[in-house]
Each structure stands twice: as C-alpha cells, then as structure tokens.
Amino acid sequence: MSVVILAAGKGTRMFSDLPKVLHPLAGKPMVQHVIDAAMETGAKQVHLVYGHGGDLLKDRLTNPDLNWVLQAEQLGTGHAMQQAAPFFADDEDILMLYGDVPLISPATLVRLLADKPQGGIALLTVKLDDPTGYGRIVRDDNGSVVGIVEHKDATEQQRQINEINTGILAANGQDLKRWLSQLNNNNAQGEYYITDIIAMAASEGRRVEAVHPDNLSEVEGVNNRLQLATLERVYQREQANKLLLAGVMLFDPSRFDLRGTLTHGRDVSIDANVIIEGQVSLGNRVEIGAGCIIKGSVIGDDCVLSPYTVLENAVLDAECTVGPFARLRPGAELAQGAHVGTITCNYDGANKHKTVIGDRVFVGSDSQLLAPVTVASGVTIGAGTTVTRDVEENALVISREYTSMCGIVGAVAQLDISEILLEGLRRLEYRGYDSAGLAVVDAEGHVARVRRLGKVQMLAQAVEEHPLAGGTGIAHTRWATHGELSEENAHPHVSGPIIIVHNGIIENHEPLRETLIGRGYRFVSETDTEVVAHLVHWEQQQTGGALVDVVKRVIPQLRGAYGMVVMDSRDPSVLVAARSGSPLVIGRGVGENFLASDQLALLPVTRRFMFLEEGDVAEVTRRTVRIFNRAGELVEREEIESKVNYE
C-alpha cells in the first residue's frame, strides 16, 4: 500500500507567503500530521504532490521516504493524482489524502483500507446538518454509492443530500490508473475531478464502500486561519482528555497546549497556560505552575516548576525547584535538589554550550549563568548575579563574581572593637558557619586571637569568658573549602606578625605551599589562607616596606577569586584589603573605618560605604582610606549612603 498526499494548493485565503500546508498545528506543519498518520498505516511509499512553495516544502519536510511529485499547474484533484499515477504499482492499494486535513487518524485510515472491496473503492464520507459547498454522495435505489456531484454542479434535489464526500479514498493501483486516464474537465470549473472515478467504478459494476470516521474533526480541512485555530483547539482538547484519563491533573484543560509528545509518571499536576513542546518527560509527582513553557526536557521525580518558568532542552534530576520567572537554556543540567530562579545563557551566537548545576544549589531570581559553566554542589547564587565561570562547592556567588561561603569583617578604631566584629559575623552567618574566629591588636601590638567551631554564638561565648581588648581587628566566619573541620583550619591565620582573613579560593595554593615549605615555613593548617599569610610574611622579610606595598607584591603570585584583609601587629593602625573576584566593602565612620564582605555586616555602625572594584587594594586607617587599582594607581571610589534595612 502507498499513499498520495495532495499538497499543491497555494492557500490564498491564508494571506501568507508560507504554503498553506506548512502552517503549524500543535507545533508542526499541517501536512506533517498527515505524513505521520500515513506512516502509521504501514505505507510502503508516500508520494507528496506539491506545487506552490516547493523549495520551502522540501526545506521544512525532511522525511527521507517522501517521493516528491510536481504538479506544475493546479488543474484539480484528478489532475494532481494523474501526476502521481506513474509511480503506482498495479498490485498495490493507493490511499489518497490531503495535506490540509491534518487531524485524520491512523485508526480511521486502517479501517478504510480494511473495508475496501475487492476491485472497488473505499470512500470516507460524513453526514452534515449543513452540507453547503461540499460534494454530495449520490446513491441508487438500493443505497449503493454510484457517484459524487460537486455542490456547484448539483441540481436542487441533489443539494438536499446531507452525506458529503471528504475526498479521502482508497483503490487498487491498476484500477486507479485506468480511471484517471479517462477523466475530463467538462464541468463548471474546467477542472479534473477525482470524484468522477466513483461513477466510473459504479458503471463497471465495482462496489463503492462508504466508511465514516470516528470524529468529524478528522475530515475538516483548513482554508483560512480561523479554521486552523479552530482545529488547534480541537486537537489540544483531545490531548488534554487523553492526559486526564491517564492520571495527569490539568487544572484547566481548555488552557493547555501539547506541541509534541509527553511521557509522564504518576500524580503529575499542570496549571493553566502551560505549553509543552517537543519530546518532554515528566517524572512522578511533578508540579508545573501556570504559564510555564517546557521544550524537549527531562524532569525528574518531585520537581517543582514555579509559574512562568521556561525550560529548553534541559535535564532536571529529582527534587529540583525552578522559578518563578526563570529560564534554563539548552544543555542545562540540574543535579538532585537544586533550586534555581535564573536564566541560563547557553548560546553565544554561533554555538550552544552546556550549563551544569550540582546538588543543593540555590540560585536567586533575575540571575544569569553564562555557559559553558559548571556550578558545583552546595552553591548559593544571590539574586541579580551573572555567573561567567565555574564555581566550586559551597561557594556564595554575588555581583558577577564568586567567593567561598565565608564572611569577613574588619575594623580600625580607637575603642575596643570585638563586639563590632562579632555583630558583623552574626549578620554574615548566611554564608556558612562551620567555624568562626577573630583577632584584635591593641595599641602596643599585643595580639589576641580566638577561634571556635560551630556558629558565631560559640565564638561570642568564648570572647565573653575571655574579653579581648584592641582597636584594630579582623574576624571571619568559615564554610570549609580546604581541610577538615577544626580550630587549626579556622581563621584568622597568622605568620609571625602577619594576621589574615580570606575568602574564596587560591587555585595555586598547593605549589605555593611546597615553595614555602622549602623556605622553612611550617604549616599548622590545611588552608590556602595560611599560604597567603606566609607569602606576605616572606615578602615583608625580603623587601620590607609598608604593608600595603607588600600585599601588592604578593597579589601577582596568586591565582583565583578571593577577598582578603591583612594586618600587621607591629603597626596596629592599618588594615590592608584586596579584592580579586570576591566583593569587599569599606564602611566609613568618624575617626574609625571598617571592612566587610557585605555591607549588611556594617549597618549597625555606618551607612556610608565605598565598594572596592575588581583588582583594588585598599589601605585603611582610622581616618584615611587609600585605594589602588589593578595598575597600582591611586584612585578614588565613590562613597554612597546605603538605603538597605536589615534588622
């Protein structure tokens, strides 16, 4: 059995440059629906008769098994079939379909072929309350089909007939070729009607069997956009009904669109105005909020898509939460338990790249991930952030850069500042708190350092038991990135008179450690921060100079993203800060100044801030702030008054 699909019409009433049969229904060309139905019947070959827009048709329809048949002049359905007739085998059945009748079902076609009488014709017909405009089925006194008369050629009596021709039929190839050769255009339109073969078959004593489709929508054609939109809603309601009967909860079936194929688990719920495109797979207990668009994606068990989320060729492991108003572009992969409220940007204008998001990742809203990029497990990305490079485990990412989930506070003042440092750490506990510590230096250069495991409260209790005195100090709350959880690995770290707190990652800390060991340094922690402390100490011993100049000479030796604050117990009037990829802010006071990794830490003591820019090194004293840019030039950074409230 072979199939002929007539698709040569221009579709003038569509008012479009696109050939009519290429207009989409449920996301794919109308004619593709017909091709798919033909393939499901087991057709040996599909002949597509085309005319207008042939190049576009061949470009959009990529089925390799199509036999393209040109109808250069559109002289009627019979003429179209005549163009395909040379390809018919004598011993095969030929099924005739139309490219603008998109909802014909394979089940109806299989039944039509099965009912074709030997040597006769199987004809698909329907009965309409208003058959105006359609060809009427003419029967004899015995009820046998003996012909079809077009509406324009019908007598008034024939126009009372309500059984009409759908145009879909099946006949033997040899018989069909014979009948086609006998067609003429002696009619009002001057065209060759395929319907004339019905009378020819009847005159030869061949039986014509009328078969009815299961649904009237199967044989409704499209000549304008109103008819296309009507069939779109019919199709979508059919898909919605199938999903409902299969156990998918559609909160509003009339506002659901499936433009592809959907496989699903149990207890799936889908809210209104959701669009599914391509091949989509939903696991068990998936919840999809209103207005989501999902294209070609795989979504694991217990995932939640909040309203107006867009997924395109993404893969979500189990228990992921995405949105609202988030977009994952092609190649995005979320590991189990990831939380995303973001946009993944995977297309650079030429190529598509992959975004990989690990377990337990939280991504704030209005963020963008620029692929290729990998966000490791446990990462938190703040709202409004653009991530441009890979992020290590348990990092906090904000303002286009990232820092490990550690908090820094520093102060240089006249009064004791331990309580200021502790309050700052409490406000930074959102970054992590496996350990915390602080160090203060008094006017005589005496250093007091306290470190504790656990939350900041543990550190505060220790300081309450053993009060610290000093007007210059630094503090840190840590989320471990190097080494086990221990007080030895907690910050601040020291090397002789040098005391330092640091967040982020020094990527080349291991070779630097080996070099320093070779110089005689002994390490008491596994952290990359102690490496920096020893480097500053070494550089100061070798070349001397002000602490800010020493730090500027150390920075070119470091690779990674970090923020740090350094002090020297021999000069307790100064703090030095450096930013490379991890935000740092200076808080301005009266006769006192502060440093922190987030302005939230300093809101109890000041509302005036200066934000360091990438590559800046700052020297901070009680009364002065000097900032040097990446080139070593002395620069000014704008001072702003914060409007942030945090209580």
Side-chain angles (χ1 to χ4, degrees):
M1 187 269 295
S2 292
V3 174
V4 179
I5 300 174
L6 306 191
K10 183 177 181 180
T12 303
R13 283 174 282 175
M14 300 296 286
F15 297 100
S16 172
D17 294 331
L18 192 68
K20 178 172 67 171
V21 296
L22 287 183
H23 282 264
L25 186 147
K28 66 181 178 182
M30 282 191 284
V31 69
Q32 187 64 58
H33 286 269
V34 184
I35 294 170
D36 293 345
M39 294 297 186
E40 287 192 45
T41 64
K44 181 181 67 175
Q45 192 167 31
V46 175
H47 309 287
L48 187 73
V49 180
Y50 70 99
H52 294 286
D55 291 339
L56 272 175
L57 282 164
K58 291 181 178 180
D59 182 62
R60 302 285 180 89
L61 305 176
T62 57
N63 302 67
D65 297 329
L66 287 180
N67 177 40
W68 294 87
V69 179
L70 176 63
Q71 185 186 15
E73 294 183 273
Q74 281 70 62
L75 301 178
T77 53
H79 180 257
M81 289 296 288
Q82 287 174 343
Q83 312 312 301
F87 301 99
F88 301 166
D90 290 346
D91 60 350
E92 69 172 344
D93 285 337
I94 302 298
L95 176 62
M96 177 181 164
L97 303 176
Y98 295 83
D100 59 358
V101 182
L103 299 189
I104 187 65
S105 73
T108 293
L109 296 180
V110 168
R111 186 156 50 82
L112 181 72
L113 289 165
D115 288 351
K116 185 187 78 68
Q118 183 68 31
I121 298 174
L123 182 65
L124 200 63
T125 71
V126 293
K127 293 183 178 181
L128 300 178
D129 292 337
D130 180 10
T132 302
Y134 294 98
R136 307 305 204 276
I137 302 299
V138 180
R139 296 176 180 267
D140 62 17
D141 294 339
N142 296 320
S144 300
V145 176
V146 295
I148 300 173
V149 59
E150 296 299 326
H151 178 86
K152 64 183 72 70
D153 299 318
T155 65
E156 192 59 37
Q157 183 179 2
Q158 289 172 328
R159 289 184 179 183
Q160 303 308 308
I161 300 171
N162 68 350
E163 184 180 15
I164 61 100
N165 171 43
T166 68
I168 295 174
L169 58 82
N172 170 263
Q174 184 178 39
D175 293 330
L176 195 53
K177 284 188 288 186
R178 183 178 70 258
W179 294 327
L180 288 171
S181 67
Q182 299 173 24
L183 290 178
N184 62 66
N185 61 350
N186 297 327
N187 52 63
Q189 292 296 108
E191 294 184 350
Y192 296 88
Y193 294 151
I194 189 64
T195 51
D196 289 348
I197 71 170
I198 303 301
M200 295 178 188
S203 67
E204 294 179 5
R206 307 294 183 93
R207 188 159 61 93
V208 178
E209 185 70 28
V211 178
H212 303 304
D214 293 330
N215 299 296
L216 182 61
S217 60
E218 291 187 53
V219 296
E220 290 185 6
V222 172
N223 290 306
N224 55 52
R225 294 180 188 269
L226 175 59
Q227 292 172 335
L228 178 59
T230 300
L231 286 189
E232 177 78 41
R233 297 326 311 158
V234 169
Y235 178 88
Q236 295 301 342
R237 186 59 203 232
E238 289 176 354
Q239 306 314 303
N241 290 346
K242 291 176 183 178
L243 290 172
L244 287 165
L245 292 173
V248 176
M249 186 63 240
L250 300 178
F251 293 141
D252 188 344
S254 67
R255 292 188 289 166
F256 167 79
D257 278 54
L258 176 57
R259 302 172 184 174
T261 58
L262 176 63
T263 59
H264 57 84
R266 301 173 68 87
D267 297 312
V268 170
S269 65
I270 301 175
D271 210 335
N273 295 319
V274 169
I275 298 175
I276 306 290
E277 296 186 8
Q279 294 184 337
V280 172
S281 174
L282 306 179
N284 296 312
R285 298 172 299 281
V286 171
E287 299 178 14
I288 301 177
C292 290
I293 300 175
I294 306 170
K295 303 178 181 180
S297 298
V298 177
I299 300 173
D301 293 347
D302 300 298
C303 287
V304 176
L305 302 188
S306 296
Y308 304 103
T309 291
V310 177
L311 269 58
E312 186 174 0
N313 297 329
V315 177
L316 279 60
D317 205 339
E319 301 175 354
C320 292
T321 300
V322 184
F325 298 101
R327 182 174 185 179
L328 301 184
R329 295 181 184 270
E333 296 182 10
L334 271 58
Q336 182 173 358
H339 294 248
V340 176
T342 188
I343 297 173
T344 63
C345 309
N346 294 22
Y347 184 59
D348 62 10
N351 300 298
K352 291 184 178 179
H353 304 282
K354 179 176 287 189
T355 300
V356 179
I357 301 176
D359 295 340
R360 307 180 313 282
V361 171
F362 176 86
V363 184
S365 62
D366 196 29
S367 298
Q368 301 84 39
L369 308 183
L370 273 60
V373 67
T374 297
V375 179
S377 298
V379 169
T380 296
I381 298 175
T385 296
T386 299
V387 179
T388 61
R389 57 182 173 178
D390 292 350
V391 183
E392 82 281 359
E393 290 187 356
N394 302 318
L396 171 71
V397 189
I398 51 177
S399 301
R400 297 179 175 267
E401 299 292 347
Y402 72 87
T403 172
S404 62
M405 292 188 72
C406 305
I408 291 174
V409 186
V412 53
Q414 188 171 4
L415 302 175
D416 292 341
I417 44 80
S418 58
E419 185 53 39
I420 292 175
L421 298 178
L422 286 169
E423 179 58 27
L425 292 185
R426 292 187 187 100
R427 291 168 174 254
L428 295 178
E429 276 194 317
Y430 73 88
R431 292 169 172 254
Y433 43 76
D434 64 23
S435 62
L438 61 82
V440 298
V441 182
D442 63 18
E444 287 72 41
H446 299 129
V447 179
R449 177 175 60 150
V450 179
R451 297 177 293 176
R452 289 293 185 270
L453 301 182
K455 296 186 177 182
V456 174
Q457 184 58 33
M458 304 301 295
L459 178 66
Q461 290 175 5
V463 172
E464 184 177 3
E465 295 169 4
H466 303 283
L468 306 180
T472 302
I474 53 179
H476 185 275
T477 178
R478 176 175 184 261
W479 187 270
T481 54
H482 291 101
E484 63 182 13
L485 180 60
S486 67
E487 284 192 8
E488 288 78 11
N489 286 329
H491 295 221
H493 290 281
V494 300
S495 180
I498 302 300
I499 306 124
I500 183 171
V501 290
H502 152 270
N503 62 20
I505 296 291
I506 305 301
E507 296 173 356
N508 60 332
H509 70 96
E510 292 182 354
L512 290 174
R513 182 187 296 267
E514 294 301 317
T515 298
L516 289 164
I517 291 173
R519 292 171 178 170
Y521 283 90
R522 186 176 68 88
F523 284 81
V524 297
S525 79
E526 300 168 86
T527 69
D528 54 352
T529 308
E530 189 180 7
V531 170
V532 181
H534 289 326
L535 274 177
V536 173
H537 182 257
W538 169 264
E539 190 67 28
Q540 191 175 61
Q541 284 189 318
Q542 299 306 304
T543 59
L547 182 60
V548 66
D549 295 323
V550 173
V551 171
K552 286 194 287 184
R553 290 195 294 270
V554 167
I555 285 174
Q557 303 175 50
L558 307 177
R559 294 200 309 271
Y562 55 84
M564 69 175 72
V565 180
V566 187
M567 66 182 182
D568 186 338
S569 63
R570 295 168 300 187
D571 185 5
S573 65
V574 177
L575 292 176
V576 174
R579 174 186 174 173
S580 177
S582 186
L584 284 175
V585 60
I586 298 172
R588 301 303 307 273
V590 178
E592 57 187 7
N593 285 309
F594 310 91
L595 283 155
S597 47
D598 191 321
Q599 63 172 306
L600 297 179
L602 304 179
L603 289 176
V605 293
T606 185
R607 291 278 173 173
R608 296 160 52 213
F609 296 100
M610 300 168 65
F611 291 86
L612 296 185
E613 296 186 6
E614 183 67 12
D616 281 354
V617 177
E619 181 188 71
V620 181
T621 71
R622 285 176 50 207
R623 300 186 183 280
T624 65
V625 173
R626 293 200 304 157
I627 300 175
F628 302 86
N629 64 16
R630 192 193 301 270
E633 302 165 329
L634 188 63
V635 296
E636 293 185 4
R637 299 298 181 211
E638 181 184 7
E639 182 177 312
I640 66 170
E641 183 173 353
S642 176
K643 305 297 183 183
V644 174
N645 290 316
Y646 180 86
E647 296 299 334

